[in-house]
Amino acid sequence: MAGETFPNGTVNEAGHSRVVIVGAGFAGLAAARELGNTEIDVTVIDRRNHNLFQPLLYQVATAALSPADVSEPIRRTLGRYRNIKVMLAEVTGIDAAAKEVKLDYGSSVPYDRLVIATGSEYNYFGHEDWRAWAPGLKTIHEARLIRQRLLLAFEKAELSQDPEEKKALLTSVIIGGGPTGVEMAGAISELGRFMITRDFRKLEPDNMRVILIEAGPKILAAFPDNLVQYAMKVLEKEGVEVRTNLPVASVTKDEVIAGSERIRTGCIIWGAGVKASPAARWLGIEGKAGGRIPVEPDLSVTGLPDIFAIGDTALGLEDGKPLPALAQVAKQQGEYVGKALRLRLLEDKPSGPFRFHNRGNTAVIGRNTAIFDFGRWTLKGRFAWFLWALVHVYLLVNFEKRLLVSIQWIWRYLTRQRGARLIDENAASFVPSSTQRTET
Ligand SMILES: Cc1cc2nc3c(=O)[nH]c(=O)nc-3n(C[C@H](O)[C@H](O)[C@H](O)COP(=O)(O)OP(=O)(O)OC[C@H]3O[C@@H](n4cnc5c(N)ncnc54)[C@H](O)[C@@H]3O)c2cc1C
């Protein structure tokens, strides 16, 4: 095909259209796969060398899975496609006039078509200083940090001679009652009670507290009321204290102030809202609904037909309503854009508008319990958890991961064991330091 000019758009020296994809999450990877092994020159740029399966990250934070179980090197995933190059770099800007993506180390990458799939990040609503004490759950680093703080707090509590300090260290606070907050609360409660009963000698399960704080009137706001009521009951049974209508006023190293309550704690987790990546700023356009890039029905950026935005960073509409920031939306948008680019660049054919197919909104509540909302009907309990597990195993990036995670879940289901209860050396500074460390 060298030297041939494709019907639509400019080409590289070999005569191939150049597509650059920024971000190799659910959306970017799905787009890249659709363009794999075609006569299109594809470059995928990501600041991480791995693709991360965020829906299972809470299991890394609560020691059920290891980081490698939920991530895979991007080069490995895309290595089989001869026309795809992978670059490890942070994108810092886009020059839409020159059709170039700017990289952190001063270089730039030219494109004919650009796909922006840079996802979202946690929103601290102007309190950036809270981030240090209340990490969100978006990266492997954060999941390991939470795991570390959680496990160390229990170790410190075991050593503490002060009953009040013991109680504080055994108290975990989760801020934000969305699916991530609820999943974390249930999993921490299960992990903590299991560890105390089985492995610690000087701790009482009754002294452990898991507090889930939500500023709004209900948790799991996107779910119907019957599922929310069910989730509340399960959480209560698991020993989780749910506080709604309680905006947080202050977060420090070992204390959360919410309403009139001052809660001393050994571990704080943030799950209170996300905002889009700064990609709208790169394009000089105004982001909407948390900084998301408004897109047309074909997912091209309004006013910039050669640039597409997909996944969490895009604001797509369906029947006038914003599509949710979910993996299934991101994946479907990636597949759609990949196919649309193939049609346009190789066959000069247009594509119809993107349509989202809702496969059900889900959240895990406690040990082997989940809820599913399919729109017209709902599902809850153990069967919902099996369905959740099936779907999540299926969505994992390759067969090896599916097998590994399935085996670990079956083992954990039968034994309740958590195989990844590891604390890094030199991590003592992550927890309140009122307890003197002694050799055990
Ligand atoms: C804890 C948690 C649990 C979740 N559970 C569910 C669930 O059960 N079901 C569900 O449907 N959804 C779930 N979600 C939401 C889902 O993970 C997101 O909707 C999905 O990841 C969005 O995909 P994306 O491709 O847009 O972004 P991401 O998957 O976040 O990928 C973005 C990629 O862009 C890269 N990137 C960002 N900025 C730059 C830059 N400047 N330069 C280079 N690279 C960059 C990042 O490194 C990343 O690889 C969950 C999210 C979290 C955090």
Side-chain angles (χ1 to χ4, degrees), residues 23 25-27 46-48 54-55 91 118-119 137 311-312 325-327 330 392:
F26 282 96
D46 201 301
R47 62 185 173 198
R48 301 196 293 234
Q54 289 172 9
V91 169
T118 40
L137 194 55
D312 283 8
L326 284 176
H392 283 73

Side-chain angles (χ1 to χ4, degrees), residues 22-29 45-58 74 87 89-93 103 116-122 136-139 179-180 183-184 274 277-278 282 310-314 324-331 333 360-364 388 392 395:
V22 184
F26 282 96
L29 217 48
I45 307 172
D46 201 301
R47 62 185 173 198
R48 301 196 293 234
N49 82 330
H50 56 273
N51 166 259
L52 180 61
F53 192 75
Q54 289 172 9
L56 291 183
L57 209 48
Y58 83 96
I74 297 164
M87 286 179 82
E90 170 130 19
V91 169
T92 52
L103 305 182
I116 303 173
T118 40
S120 55
E121 53 195 60
Y122 275 104
L137 194 55
K138 271 269 169 199
T139 62
T180 302
E183 283 168 359
M184 279 303 290
V274 291
S277 75
W282 301 339
I310 53 177
D312 283 8
T313 209
L326 284 176
Q328 50 172 327
V329 176
K331 199 162 178 271
Q333 289 183 329
N361 196 7
T362 180
V364 172
W388 171 90
H392 283 73
L395 287 174

Side-chain angles (χ1 to χ4, degrees), residues 321-383:
K321 289 193 198 131
L323 286 166
L326 284 176
Q328 50 172 327
V329 176
K331 199 162 178 271
Q332 289 179 33
Q333 289 183 329
E335 284 162 0
Y336 165 87
V337 161
K339 281 182 193 145
L341 283 172
R342 239 171 38 207
L343 275 178
R344 281 185 209 191
L345 296 173
L346 299 178
E347 298 173 35
D348 202 15
K349 286 189 185 150
S351 47
F354 170 75
R355 296 296 301 175
F356 171 56
H357 302 284
N358 187 0
R359 313 265 187 247
N361 196 7
T362 180
V364 172
I365 313 297
R367 181 173 150 74
N368 311 328
T369 309
I371 52 174
F372 256 99
D373 174 23
F374 294 96
R376 284 194 197 149
W377 55 286
T378 59
L379 203 62
K380 58 182 193 270
R382 192 163 289 228
F383 181 68

Side-chain angles (χ1 to χ4, degrees), residues 90-110:
E90 170 130 19
V91 169
T92 52
I94 292 165
D95 185 337
K99 291 195 159 193
E100 277 181 356
V101 169
K102 293 179 182 159
L103 305 182
D104 52 348
Y105 55 89
S107 182
S108 56
V109 182

Side-chain angles (χ1 to χ4, degrees), residues 67-145:
D69 296 334
V70 298
S71 53
E72 163 143 311
I74 297 164
R75 284 189 191 283
R76 185 171 171 206
T77 315
L78 298 178
R80 75 191 78 149
Y81 304 113
R82 59 184 162 68
N83 61 322
I84 300 183
K85 286 193 288 287
V86 175
M87 286 179 82
L88 179 67
E90 170 130 19
V91 169
T92 52
I94 292 165
D95 185 337
K99 291 195 159 193
E100 277 181 356
V101 169
K102 293 179 182 159
L103 305 182
D104 52 348
Y105 55 89
S107 182
S108 56
V109 182
Y111 65 82
D112 302 314
R113 299 288 190 279
L114 174 65
V115 180
I116 303 173
T118 40
S120 55
E121 53 195 60
Y122 275 104
N123 192 350
Y124 285 78
F125 305 104
H127 298 283
E128 275 310 305
D129 53 316
W130 295 359
R131 191 184 288 270
W133 313 123
L137 194 55
K138 271 269 169 199
T139 62
I140 292 215
H141 171 72
E142 286 163 331
R144 291 181 65 208
L145 190 63

Side-chain angles (χ1 to χ4, degrees), residues 124-169:
Y124 285 78
F125 305 104
H127 298 283
E128 275 310 305
D129 53 316
W130 295 359
R131 191 184 288 270
W133 313 123
L137 194 55
K138 271 269 169 199
T139 62
I140 292 215
H141 171 72
E142 286 163 331
R144 291 181 65 208
L145 190 63
I146 291 168
R147 182 178 75 184
Q148 199 110 286
R149 289 184 181 180
L150 203 56
L151 298 179
L152 261 174
F154 277 73
E155 295 294 341
K156 289 249 176 185
E158 174 90 339
L159 298 178
S160 174
Q161 306 297 322
D162 174 354
E164 286 310 308
E165 184 179 60
K166 247 186 209 297
K167 278 189 193 164
L169 287 164

